[in-house]
Amino acid sequence: MTDNLSDQQLEQRETEFQQRIDAEEKIEPKDWMPEKYRQNLIRQMSQHAHSEVIGMQPEGNWITRAPTLHRKAILLAKVQDEGGHGLYLYSAAETLGISREELIASLHSGSAKYASIFNYPTLSWADIGAIGWLVDGAAICNQVSLQRTSYGPYSRGMVRICKEESFHQRQGYHIMMTLARGSAEQKEMAQDALNRFWWPSLMMFGPHDADSVHSAQSMKWKIKRQSNDELRQKFVDQSVKQAEVIELELPDPDLKWNEERGHYDFGEIDWEEFKRSMTGGGPCSRQRLAHNIQAHDDGAWVREAMRAYESKKREAKDQAVA
Ligand code: 3HC
């Protein structure tokens, strides 16, 4: 996007770009944008897409084990939605001039990340409830904010995705409510799932603002509209009430209402675990990536068939015109 501009011209372009951002204008694919803005968006949007697709695995494990046909149908719909979210986001990332193959290659090489929460196993049916309630709940906090992101295709993708996430969160919370109000064993299963998914869900919002590599620039360019800590706090405040209603206990002895702040104080995340689970050291990290690579390889014949069909279609069209 530097178009061989002189330093002075580049500076002028960047000033005009920032003025557009400050005026709350949406940046569209054909607009001039700083190369670093484009690269930052490709990074975040592709990792968002990778998260949606990898996130299908832990829940997908329970489609054949759902306790009723009703729960099975709901989980099937949710997992399909997540795949669709991934496709919206890959398509939105492609508008920045990068191919799907490059995006997938960066995931498979490990150079691109995905949300660390998906590197944890789903050990019981209650985990499916905890994922819907907490993981989708955290994703909603983050994605509602991202609806106002400055890049047009990302913002519009978020509007569409948020509509479906609300159903995801409600069905998860209903699973947890049903178990918490069931037998003693069911309540114990729900509490165990909450104990294992609570802290990794808080990690979804990223490091503290002070430790965030990208936040300052992402906020200046309005890629990010609220900070990591601000969204995490919003999620904690809402989750405390939701846990109270279903009489489950959030596993944090430091959780306490702070009248002065008007928010809940809460304990410190295990940042060593965060770094481990984010850089391939999570309990299921290797399995998740291997499964995604295998599925991609298994699907190669479909992509080849589609390409062959497209080129035949183009040939026929060219002949018709000739
Ligand atoms: N897991 C893995 N990596 C994480 C992470 C997490 N939970 N949180 C932060 N990171 C990474 C960042 O990607 C960055 O690494 P990078 O430079 O290699 O990309 C590094 O940690 C530093 O973090 P920053 O705060 O500086 O990075 P960002 O400004 O990008 O903020 C973010 C992190 C808040 C996660 C932001 O990237 C974001 O909003 N991403 C889009 C939201 C997203 O991906 N949500 C998960 C959706 S999955 C889902 O919804 C499925 C559900 O429906 C089941």
Side-chain angles (χ1 to χ4, degrees), residues 71 74 78 128-129 131-134 136-137 140 163-178 242 245-246:
R71 292 291 188 195
I74 292 174
K78 178 181 190 301
I128 300 305
I131 288 177
W133 172 30
L134 300 173
D136 287 82
I140 290 172
K163 287 190 174 75
E164 293 172 343
E165 293 289 15
S166 311
F167 143 64
H168 298 171
Q169 192 271 355
R170 293 301 298 152
Q171 63 84 36
Y173 188 60
H174 187 255
I175 290 174
M176 294 300 267
M177 182 185 283
T178 307
Q242 290 166 355
V245 166
I246 55 177

Side-chain angles (χ1 to χ4, degrees), residues 40 43-44 47-49 51-52 55 59 78 82 85 111-118 131 135-136 139-140 142-143 146 154 161 165 168 200 203-208 211-215 218 224 228 231 274 277-278:
N40 192 352
R43 174 194 63 83
Q44 178 167 328
Q47 290 178 174
H48 199 154
S51 303
E52 299 280 5
E59 291 179 301
K78 178 181 190 301
E82 307 301 4
H85 296 175
S111 62
K113 294 185 171 70
Y114 58 88
S116 56
I117 183 81
F118 300 120
I131 288 177
V135 179
D136 287 82
I140 290 172
N142 170 282
Q143 292 170 162
L146 278 171
Y154 196 19
I161 286 174
E165 293 289 15
H168 298 171
M203 296 174 193
M204 282 182 74
F205 295 95
H208 280 309
D211 305 321
S212 170
V213 175
H214 302 287
S215 280
S218 290
K224 225 180 214 181
N228 297 0
L231 289 174
F274 170 68
S277 63
M278 178 173 81

